[in-house]
Amino acid sequence: EKVESIRNAASRSFLAKAPWKEESVADQYYFDLTAYAFWKATAEVLTEYKIRDKFARDVGRKIFSSLLISKKAPHESISAPLTSTIGSLIEILELFQASGYLKSFKLGDEKTSSVIFDDLDDSSLSNGDSVNCLISIYEPATLQASLQITGEQSRFMPDFVGTTLAAMWESVGIVASYEIYFVDSEYRPNPKDFFPNEQLLQYTLTKK
């Protein structure tokens, strides 16, 4: 009931930005609106940061456990703790892409030429150091919901990709903490004209 109330109140604003064809979560834009309403309603119940973080990570764990990634299933590797997870990382992102949740993705930044991990990263993690990495997802289905919630001064936003990847690393003994940033790929002279199409996930990975 609370979700429906919030969804009805926000529908006009969301509809103006991205009209949906049918009121079904199978429709990307209606799913975006519904995700916004669900997370807003959940935030009213879960008011503590730790509880919200656990809720979000549990969502990622459930998604990860339901994915069929047997061809590149992650395994805990002593000699290559990070590079051994690249196959699973890519497969998970490709599954999200195939489902229509996101348009495309990119590993690393322009300097790393999409090589997200290498032997030096494996060595650093094994020696107890933390390793940082960047993952970009473009036009995720919950982009407007996330932007709206961020604009309301909250960081508790619908995030399915970030938490699923965190669950994947967790399964091989790696703790993943991360921040989400929004990127507008086009330069605009007026800073108020901010129309991001990219969510940038900035991870910090450490060994358990």
Side-chain angles (χ1 to χ4, degrees):
E1 184 177 333
K2 186 64 176 179
V3 172
E4 185 176 354
S5 175
I6 296 173
R7 183 167 58 192
N8 290 338
S11 61
R12 181 176 297 180
S13 173
F14 275 73
L15 190 62
K17 296 175 183 176
W20 49 83
K21 294 181 180 179
E22 57 178 331
E23 293 186 353
S24 167
V25 291
D27 185 297
Q28 173 185 341
Y29 301 124
Y30 195 75
F31 175 78
D32 194 9
L33 169 64
T34 302
Y36 167 80
F38 181 81
W39 251 255
K40 284 282 290 182
T42 302
E44 293 183 11
V45 178
L46 308 180
T47 57
E48 296 182 15
Y49 169 79
K50 288 185 178 180
I51 298 177
R52 288 180 176 182
D53 183 64
K54 183 181 184 303
F55 172 84
R57 287 180 180 271
D58 282 345
V59 170
R61 292 181 182 113
K62 289 180 179 179
I63 294 175
F64 174 66
S65 66
S66 69
L67 294 178
L68 299 176
I69 57 170
S70 56
K71 292 181 181 179
K72 301 174 183 176
H75 61 280
E76 193 163 355
S77 170
I78 297 176
S79 61
L82 285 175
T83 54
S84 63
T85 67
I86 294 176
S88 297
L89 168 64
I90 293 174
E91 188 166 4
I92 289 171
L93 291 170
E94 287 177 341
L95 286 169
F96 272 105
Q97 185 177 17
S99 72
Y101 180 80
L102 55 90
K103 184 177 181 180
S104 59
F105 62 87
K106 181 180 71 176
L107 305 182
D109 55 27
E110 300 302 329
K111 295 180 181 179
T112 59
S113 302
S114 297
V115 178
I116 192 165
F117 300 126
D118 57 22
D119 294 343
L120 291 176
D121 294 318
D122 284 332
S123 178
S124 294
L125 196 76
S126 297
N127 290 333
D129 297 327
S130 62
V131 174
N132 299 322
C133 70
L134 298 174
I135 298 173
S136 296
I137 57 174
Y138 297 92
E139 299 182 25
T142 55
L143 179 60
Q144 291 304 321
S146 298
L147 287 170
Q148 181 64 33
I149 289 174
T150 300
E152 295 169 3
Q153 306 303 309
S154 174
R155 298 295 292 172
F156 184 58
M157 67 187 79
D159 167 39
F160 300 103
V161 176
T163 54
T164 301
L165 295 179
M168 181 273 292
W169 278 311
E170 181 183 58
S171 74
V172 293
I174 296 173
V175 178
S177 60
Y178 67 100
E179 294 289 340
I180 298 177
Y181 301 95
F182 300 98
V183 180
D184 186 346
S185 58
E186 182 179 338
Y187 169 74
R188 306 177 198 278
N190 188 344
K192 294 183 178 180
D193 293 334
F194 183 58
F195 304 108
N197 68 336
E198 173 189 349
Q199 275 189 332
L200 178 64
L201 309 177
Q202 183 175 329
Y203 283 93
T204 298
L205 307 174
T206 54
K207 197 72 175 171
K208 275 187 179 179

